[in-house]
Amino acid sequence: MQAILNRTNPTDARRRAIVTLAGFLFTAIPALAQVDFSGEWSPRFHEDQPERVPGPELGDYLGLPINTAARMRADTWDASLLTLPEWQCRPHSADYIWRGPSQVRIWKEVDPVTREIKAWHAEWLRSIDRPIYMDGRPHPPEYAAHSWAGFSTGKWEGDMLTITTTHLKEGYIRRNGMPRSDMATLVEHWMRHGNFLTVVTIVTDPVYLTEPFVRSTDYELDTHQQIPPYPCEMVQEIERAKGVVPHRLPGANTMLNEFPERHHLPVEPARGGAETMYPEYRKKLSATKPVTPPAAAQKSGDGEVHVLPVQGNVYMLAGAGANITVESGKNGVVLLVDSGTAQMSGKVLAAIRTLTDKPVRKIINTSLDPDHTGGNETIASSGSTITGGNVAGDIADAAEGAAVVAHENVLLRMSKPPAAGQPAIPFRALPTETYHNEGLKLSEMFNGEVVEVFGQPSAHTDGDSLVYFRQSDVISTGDLFDTTAYPSIDLDRGGSIHGIIDGLNRILDLAAPSFRMEGGTRIIPGHGRLCDSADVAYYRDMVTVIRDRIQDMLKRGMTLEQVKAAKPTADYDPRYGSGDKFVEAIYKSLTFSR
Amino acid sequence: LKRYIRASRSAASRRRGYSVKVTFASVALLFAASQLSLIAQQPGRAGRGAQPPQTARESAPRDLTGYWVSIVTEDWRYRMVTPAKGDYPGLPLNAEARKVADSWDPAKDEAAGNQCKAYGAPAIMRVPGRFHITWQDDNTLGIEADNGMQTRLLHFGQRPLPGTAPQNEPGWQGESWAQWEFAGGARGRAAPGQKRDGMLSVVTTHMRPGYLRKNGVPYSAYATLTEYFTRTEEPNGDSWLFVTTIVEDPVYLTGPFITSTHFKKTPDEAGWDPTPCSAK
């Protein structure tokens, strides 16, 4: 080797010098500022220790910029809710988990070729992996699924990592029932100071907060730490009737004043509100100012139909009225759940063509509403039914158009003579196959998939269906479940609150989460974003709680007007809009026997 | 033919050599230029005959001046009201510190003229109030607190060596030495056309013994305070100042005591309300 080196000519030496110099040159100009957050970090509970370790006390809303709706939800919260199977394994969400009593592991995902950081990952004792994408990808559309971790993207601001998170599931800002809605966004700043990590979280929630809620939490590097696995098994903790959701009726929580009394505080600051965050509040502890909840902004569609892959063979079409479920696979056989409005049929067909050029074979209507059935005529006409042999041998047009499947009551109501001045529903838009009992399994698999249709008696109407795609593990709910509004209960068409609650519990029975109450069975609501079982559980809780409140008012002999004036939906109105129609439907529903 | 081959090789070699020389010189020139550029970006540095060193004010990566208000969303029960004696969960206190805290007597403090014990440098940023940050001179940043009427002076420059006798008697705010922590550390550089980003770090010693919390949780004269000040700009237009505070005290603490506190920028002095210290 030395001989070889000795034979190296001067030109080669210069080349080596250039390479060395160039290497030095490029290492002397590092990438723009980046700090390494990798490692095992242990929280320091020098702030808010009573809230973070043993847990907050009931009625402790000190320093929270909450509105009246948030306060009402927390006041009526019952810790026993956490014994429900749906909530036993729920992790803290991305905004709260920094504040929880758990260590965190942070690691970076590096592209093996470019060695650029593609993502940071954070994982706590009782969380799932939380990626923070650094590759510039956009946030998902508003109709995409939400998760406990949300969807996070990061950017460097000097040595500080600034993270923006959207698509959070509903969570809490204090774990004594103080809610944070699924419409909230989160901004974080990660700052490393030697062996200390400071993480700032800024939560903005149009539903429950009147000002951004800011916290900063500190961790210390701990090289001996290992975060162990933390499995969670759902068990039956308490014997209770099916469908019971623990909660306290408004005004019935007698324990709320125990917290201020125990700590010798006036009651007013313990009730929270943005003004309690400011130094001046110390001088006017007795002053109270009503907090007006802002109306939650519900984004309207952009007039286009959007395709969202769900899982397996199933896709969701958003923007055509009600959500449309598309099942399309290797056989090219297309099955739809609902068809959207008539006006959007062309765009729906165009969206389906981006998935397959095969014909639509079946449409299942989950109810008779025009935003679910309006596209039947156009879309069914464009398709074809698989038929032949002695069934259709003498019927020339038997294969023309897709079959339309629905509960018998959908056909009966759609085929009634129209009201005066209203056009009749076209014959081609009517269901061609109906069932009248608890449901049916489609007689053939679609793309190797069993498709089950469950009838849900007397819920939104008396003709509701749920559709379960067994292999893809997706449930299409129709208007039993709507992430944008309270349930619509059409009493004139046979709907009832009992059927809605039964239907929501049925969805929860069918669905299973993947891990920590997230993922697994995907659920396509009648309207709104893609969901999983936790989202349905939140909705079920809300509907049950409001039903129970009105039931209690009925027992006390209150009239409908009195019930409406008592605002039993006040804590959910910023999220779902005015509850008046819903309250009236429940009231009337409850006045009839089941 | 041999002569021709030799001549060709020689010419090729010369060409190669020329090329190598040109490349080497170019790279060396580029390197030198880049290093000069890097050096020029270093605050407080100047070459022979170059611009005078930048002052701390000139080299500030982010403007911390202005009025700021505490937003008390954390430790409310320990900051907005005076907590009860003995109510200090979560703090890394040793037995001696607990003993001192358990014998807290605010009336006695007031009588002894020690009503500002909970307004010293390790605690003042946790005291709910409004803060006014200004440049006192090109190398001194001042922080005034309306609650407690305290003034901190953060000096930029060479910190005195440990063991050097301070000029003054220890005060509530001690002696603070500040420096900008530029993004990327020693290897960092500014993005093209932009100022180099960073945050402020401050070390404070020579403090008069006081309270970490108003209910008598003590720190000693041997305590060292390290702070990091970071300003952020949020999508909704808010500006925030985040201060990470680390107190180390061999007398009373079993480990570093770390808190982080946030302040929102206000457009003016509205709400500024100078209020003297109170022991109760």
Side-chain angles (χ1 to χ4, degrees):
Chain A
M1 173 61 81
Q2 191 58 44
I4 295 170
L5 287 175
N6 289 342
R7 285 206 304 271
T8 306
N9 66 37
T11 303
D12 289 339
R14 281 186 182 138
R15 279 191 186 130
R16 281 205 306 275
I18 289 168
V19 169
T20 306
L21 182 56
F24 180 60
L25 175 65
F26 289 115
T27 54
I29 302 175
L32 293 177
Q34 291 181 355
V35 162
D36 195 353
F37 295 102
S38 304
E40 300 274 345
W41 299 90
S42 183
R44 292 294 171 253
F45 299 110
H46 301 162
E47 295 174 343
D48 283 340
Q49 190 269 357
E51 177 195 335
R52 296 170 60 193
V53 183
E57 298 178 54
L58 281 178
D60 172 8
Y61 314 149
L62 292 169
L64 302 180
I66 52 172
N67 60 19
T68 51
R71 196 175 291 116
M72 182 173 171
R73 277 203 64 185
D75 286 352
T76 56
W77 179 78
D78 186 335
S80 187
L81 183 75
L82 304 177
T83 63
L84 291 182
E86 290 84 9
W87 301 130
Q88 289 174 20
C89 296
R90 174 178 56 175
H92 299 316
S93 298
D95 53 327
Y96 186 84
I97 199 160
W98 292 106
R99 227 46 197 168
S102 170
Q103 304 94 331
V104 61
R105 170 185 297 151
I106 298 176
W107 56 280
K108 59 190 174 192
E109 181 184 343
V110 177
D111 185 287
V113 176
T114 66
R115 294 192 174 170
E116 289 169 346
I117 297 175
K118 292 163 64 180
W120 290 96
H121 293 258
E123 191 170 8
W124 290 260
L125 185 63
R126 278 164 286 194
S127 78
I128 55 174
D129 174 48
R130 179 188 171 203
I132 293 141
Y133 298 107
M134 301 294 292
D135 53 6
R137 70 183 67 188
H139 281 241
E142 62 179 298
Y143 45 84
H146 288 210
S147 63
W148 305 120
F151 186 91
S152 301
T153 53
K155 65 171 184 179
W156 291 106
E157 293 189 78
D159 277 352
M160 179 171 71
L161 184 64
T162 294
I163 300 162
T164 302
T165 301
T166 58
H167 293 76
L168 288 161
K169 278 188 189 297
E170 183 181 310
Y172 33 83
I173 56 172
R174 193 164 281 173
R175 56 183 201 270
N176 56 2
M178 186 54 71
R180 191 265 298 133
S181 85
D182 60 347
M183 297 172 75
T185 54
L186 168 67
V187 171
E188 286 165 272
H189 301 291
W190 292 11
M191 295 169 261
R192 181 173 181 165
H193 309 298
N195 284 345
F196 293 99
L197 173 68
T198 296
V199 173
V200 170
T201 58
I202 305 175
V203 179
T204 303
D205 183 356
V207 176
Y208 289 125
L209 298 178
T210 60
E211 288 189 25
F213 179 44
V214 183
R215 279 180 291 206
S216 50
T217 311
D218 305 300
Y219 284 70
E220 189 171 0
L221 196 65
D222 183 348
T223 52
H224 294 96
Q225 173 181 293
Q226 272 298 323
I227 297 178
Y230 197 91
C232 178
E233 293 285 339
M234 287 184 282
V235 296
Q236 183 135 12
E237 287 193 26
I238 293 176
E239 290 289 339
R240 57 164 65 96
K242 187 172 175 61
V244 170
V245 174
H247 64 95
R248 294 177 188 281
L249 293 169
N253 192 340
T254 57
M255 294 179 283
L256 293 173
N257 286 348
E258 290 180 6
F259 167 72
E261 283 167 10
R262 187 176 301 116
H263 299 287
H264 311 291
L265 294 168
V267 170
E268 289 86 351
R271 305 293 292 154
E275 63 182 345
T276 66
M277 303 189 302
Y278 288 87
E280 290 74 23
Y281 190 78
R282 289 168 306 148
K283 291 185 177 173
K284 48 176 185 175
L285 283 175
S286 59
T288 53
K289 201 162 70 179
V291 181
T292 308
Q298 295 284 352
K299 289 182 187 171
S300 56
D302 59 1
E304 299 299 325
V305 174
H306 302 276
V307 179
L308 179 69
V310 177
Q311 62 189 12
N313 299 325
V314 177
Y315 302 81
M316 181 174 115
L317 303 189
N323 286 328
I324 297 173
T325 305
V326 180
E327 203 273 4
S328 174
K330 61 184 189 315
N331 298 349
V333 181
V334 177
L335 180 143
L336 298 186
V337 178
D338 290 327
S339 57
T341 61
Q343 296 83 353
M344 298 299 288
S345 300
K347 289 184 175 177
V348 171
L349 279 172
I352 293 170
R353 290 292 159 256
T354 65
L355 300 172
T356 178
D357 58 359
K358 302 292 183 188
V360 174
R361 301 293 192 180
K362 263 191 197 333
I363 300 171
I364 302 171
N365 287 149
T366 59
S367 74
L368 59 88
D369 291 341
D371 58 341
H372 293 256
T373 60
N376 281 6
E377 183 184 20
T378 304
I379 297 169
S381 299
S382 76
S384 63
T385 303
I386 302 169
T387 189
N390 59 2
V391 174
D394 298 328
I395 308 171
D397 61 352
E400 284 183 17
V404 179
V405 180
H407 189 278
E408 183 182 61
N409 288 341
V410 172
L411 174 61
L412 291 175
R413 291 188 184 281
M414 287 178 76
S415 55
K416 273 186 180 174
Q422 296 293 314
I425 294 173
F427 180 77
R428 197 66 198 86
L430 299 178
T432 58
E433 298 174 17
T434 61
Y435 69 96
H436 64 277
N437 47 15
E438 64 270 16
L440 81 160
K441 283 180 194 152
L442 296 192
S443 51
E444 67 271 8
M445 288 189 177
F446 279 75
N447 296 302
E449 176 133 51
V450 175
V451 182
E452 292 183 81
V453 182
F454 298 100
Q456 188 56 49
S458 187
H460 163 56
T461 65
D462 59 5
D464 301 322
S465 297
L466 295 168
V467 183
Y468 181 32
F469 298 88
R470 208 192 269 182
Q471 274 69 32
S472 294
D473 198 15
V474 176
I475 300 171
S476 191
T477 71
D479 278 352
L480 283 171
F481 175 41
D482 178 346
T483 67
T484 67
Y486 291 112
S488 162
I489 303 174
D490 191 340
L491 297 170
D492 294 337
R493 289 170 169 168
S496 79
I497 184 64
H498 314 295
I500 292 282
I501 291 175
D502 290 347
L504 293 168
N505 281 313
R506 183 179 209 164
I507 297 167
L508 291 173
D509 286 343
L510 286 169
S514 166
F515 184 53
R516 296 208 193 289
M517 296 309 303
E518 186 169 276
T521 308
R522 287 295 182 184
I523 293 154
I524 299 176
H527 298 264
R529 62 178 168 80
L530 181 64
C531 292
D532 60 19
S533 60
D535 300 301
V536 179
Y538 273 123
Y539 199 76
R540 184 276 315 268
D541 288 359
M542 177 271 290
V543 172
T544 307
V545 164
I546 293 170
R547 188 273 314 266
D548 290 353
R549 289 174 184 170
I550 296 171
Q551 180 92 63
D552 175 68
M553 292 174 184
L554 266 170
K555 278 184 195 164
R556 290 190 274 136
M558 291 170 72
T559 64
L560 175 59
E561 291 312 308
Q562 288 171 324
V563 170
K564 280 185 177 175
K567 299 272 181 206
T569 59
D571 46 349
Y572 292 98
D573 286 352
R575 174 64 180 80
Y576 295 109
S578 169
D580 281 354
K581 279 187 182 171
F582 184 48
V583 169
E584 186 169 338
I586 295 175
Y587 186 94
K588 289 179 175 173
S589 224
L590 293 174
T591 55
F592 297 107
S593 58
R594 297 187 70 171
Chain B
L1 180 63
K2 280 181 183 172
R3 200 178 304 129
Y4 172 77
I5 291 172
R6 236 184 346 256
S8 299
R9 278 179 177 167
S10 176
S13 174
R14 277 198 303 275
R15 278 198 301 275
R16 228 173 12 243
Y18 174 73
S19 167
V20 165
K21 278 173 194 163
V22 168
T23 310
F24 187 83
S26 305
V27 171
L29 195 63
L30 185 59
F31 172 72
S34 69
Q35 291 305 296
L36 279 174
S37 161
L38 283 175
I39 289 164
Q41 290 172 37
Q42 304 300 316
R45 292 183 69 167
R48 234 176 258 162
Q51 297 293 318
Q54 279 192 307
T55 64
R57 189 204 302 238
E58 287 167 340
S59 57
R62 292 196 180 202
D63 182 12
L64 304 184
T65 62
Y67 286 91
W68 301 87
V69 60
S70 314
I71 299 296
V72 186
T73 56
E74 299 167 340
D75 275 349
W76 199 101
R77 199 150 64 74
Y78 304 104
R79 297 170 63 193
M80 292 289 273
V81 294
T82 303
K85 188 192 287 189
D87 188 3
Y88 43 70
L91 303 190
L93 306 180
N94 62 19
E96 184 59 22
R98 291 172 197 280
K99 196 171 148 191
V100 172
D102 291 345
S103 61
W104 168 61
D105 183 348
K108 205 170 158 184
D109 283 338
E110 213 153 62
N114 280 335
Q115 58 269 40
C116 288
K117 282 184 95 170
Y119 297 79
I124 189 67
M125 305 309 286
R126 291 295 267 184
V127 173
R130 289 171 188 269
F131 295 80
H132 187 205
I133 302 181
T134 53
W135 285 102
Q136 303 286 303
D137 59 44
D138 281 348
N139 287 303
T140 307
L141 203 55
I143 303 177
E144 291 172 86
D146 69 345
N147 191 356
M149 299 166 66
Q150 301 292 307
T151 300
R152 301 183 64 188
L153 295 176
L154 316 182
H155 304 284
F156 287 77
Q158 190 62 50
R159 186 182 164 197
L161 293 171
T164 309
Q167 300 290 312
N168 308 314
E169 286 296 307
W172 297 124
Q173 304 309 325
E175 291 190 0
S176 299
W177 295 91
Q179 63 175 15
W180 298 118
E181 303 257 349
F182 288 96
R187 293 160 53 82
R189 65 183 170 88
Q194 290 181 19
K195 202 169 183 181
R196 201 169 164 198
D197 209 341
M199 56 186 82
L200 175 68
S201 75
V202 180
V203 175
T204 302
T205 56
H206 200 51
M207 293 175 287
R208 190 171 165 187
Y211 297 148
L212 294 171
R213 278 192 184 164
K214 208 163 180 182
N215 58 348
V217 176
Y219 64 85
S220 78
Y222 297 95
T224 301
L225 167 67
T226 305
E227 294 166 288
Y228 300 93
F229 292 68
T230 307
R231 175 177 174 163
T232 70
E233 310 298 329
E234 304 303 331
N236 67 349
D238 286 348
S239 283
W240 291 91
L241 178 66
F242 297 100
V243 181
T244 299
T245 302
I246 302 162
V247 182
E248 292 166 285
D249 184 353
V251 177
Y252 290 127
L253 299 180
T254 56
F257 169 56
I258 178 166
T259 53
S260 44
T261 313
H262 42 273
F263 306 86
K264 191 174 175 181
K265 185 96 161 48
T266 62
D268 51 38
E269 72 272 32
W272 183 259
D273 182 21
T275 308
C277 300
S278 166
K280 295 178 181 168

